[in-house]
């Protein structure tokens, strides 16, 4: 898959361009909760590890689609340089594989593969602002005490090592996080000369989120 095709696939997965009207109509109910949904943990942990691991001191968004390949974007400090890095990954083939060939079907996680990755640096101040915004959003009533039962796609956020998973948010602050994650993917796939433009786009998204939910006219 070309870099442009990979970038497009990641952005589509994160933004959910074909999201259902029913989901969009929900009044920002808590469709995401702490941990993994029932029966998803082993699959989710394996996918997250294959697609770059977990950001213990940053943030990530993992998308486990109902069909197609899994994707993840992470923001974390580089172990060697302490520079904040964005890492966007996509599985080469679908990790979750239902094997119905035997007398009894079962799930086979296809982990013997080489995902495609792209990465880019992020300035400290902007990275810290993103981490703070995600921590604040994931501490709101939009997040339930437990991850809900899901049937189909699962989205899974982490912030500073804590995981929150469930359905794709259709409104509220968590929907803003999906937009920001898509901008991080775009940055990861950009050339050096485009970095400043991408940083400005992320800043604008954070400004919009702040004005909408925390500004003087919020609420």
């Amino acid at each position: 898959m070309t870099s442009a095709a990979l970038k497009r696939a990641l952005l589509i997965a994160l933004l959910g361009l074909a999201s259902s009207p029913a989901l969009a109509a929900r009044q920002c109910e808590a469709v995401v909760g702490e941990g993994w949904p029932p029966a998803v943990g082993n699959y989710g942990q394996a996918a997250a590890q294959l697609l770059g691991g977990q950001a213990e001191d940053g943030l990530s968004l993992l998308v486990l689609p109902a069909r197609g390949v899994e994707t993840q974007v992470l923001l974390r400090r580089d172990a060697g340089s302490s520079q904040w890095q964005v890492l966007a990954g996509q599985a080469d083939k679908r990790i979750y594989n239902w094997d119905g060939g035997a007398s009894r079907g079962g799930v086979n996680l296809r982990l013997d593969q080489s995902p495609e990755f792209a990465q880019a640096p992020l300035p400290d101040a902007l990275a810290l602002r993103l981490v703070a915004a995600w921590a604040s959003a994931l501490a709101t009533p939009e997040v339930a005490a437990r991850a809900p039962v899901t049937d189909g796609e699962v989205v899974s956020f982490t912030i500073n090592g804590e995981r929150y998973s469930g359905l794709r948010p259709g409104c509220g602050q968590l929907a803003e996080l999906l937009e920001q994650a898509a901008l991080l993917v775009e940055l990861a796939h950009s050339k050096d000369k485009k970095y400043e433009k991408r940083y400005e786009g992320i800043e604008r998204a954070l400004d919009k989120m702040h004005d909408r939910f925390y500004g003087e006219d919020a609420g």
Side-chain angles (χ1 to χ4, degrees):
M1 182 180 291
T2 66
S3 176
L6 172 61
K7 174 181 171 183
R8 176 174 172 77
L10 282 163
L11 290 173
I12 289 173
L14 290 171
L15 287 173
L17 299 182
S19 59
S20 70
L23 180 58
R26 289 178 178 154
Q27 298 300 309
C28 294
E29 62 182 280
V31 297
V32 168
E34 295 183 28
W36 293 104
V40 174
N42 289 341
Y43 165 39
Q45 290 170 11
Q49 190 60 38
L50 183 67
L51 295 173
Q54 181 167 310
E56 297 295 338
D57 62 346
L59 58 86
S60 69
L61 175 63
L62 172 71
V63 178
L64 306 174
R67 292 176 296 276
V69 295
E70 297 82 358
T71 62
Q72 180 169 248
V73 60
L74 303 99
L75 172 63
R76 62 187 175 193
R77 288 189 185 275
D78 180 78
S81 66
S82 293
Q83 165 71 54
W84 286 94
Q85 293 284 336
V86 176
L87 179 68
Q90 176 174 293
D92 180 55
K93 54 190 174 185
R94 183 168 173 80
I95 297 168
Y96 187 95
N97 179 52
W98 177 260
D99 184 1
S103 58
R104 290 192 302 172
V107 175
N108 173 35
L109 299 181
R110 296 188 290 195
L111 303 177
D112 185 17
Q113 59 172 289
S114 299
E116 297 184 62
F117 291 101
Q119 66 178 18
L122 197 69
D124 278 12
L126 184 52
L128 292 172
R129 189 180 176 195
L130 268 168
V131 170
W134 282 49
S136 180
L138 290 165
T140 67
E142 292 182 33
V143 177
R146 293 183 181 178
V149 175
T150 57
D151 181 17
E153 182 190 58
V154 173
V155 298
S156 185
F157 303 89
T158 68
I159 183 68
N160 295 325
E162 298 296 324
R163 185 168 295 280
Y164 306 88
S165 311
L167 306 176
R168 181 181 295 272
C171 57
Q173 294 190 59
L174 299 193
E176 300 282 340
L177 301 191
L178 295 180
E179 178 184 341
Q180 293 165 22
L183 293 174
L184 290 175
V185 171
E186 190 173 26
L187 168 63
H189 287 272
S190 296
K191 297 182 182 298
D192 295 12
K193 63 183 181 181
K194 294 282 190 177
Y195 285 173
E196 288 301 324
K197 180 179 179 181
R198 303 299 180 227
Y199 298 158
E200 290 171 3
I202 295 169
E203 288 276 11
R204 286 194 297 272
L206 287 167
D207 288 343
K208 182 187 77 170
M209 181 177 176
H210 179 271
D211 292 345
R212 181 177 178 188
F213 296 101
Y214 301 102
E216 292 182 2
D217 298 328

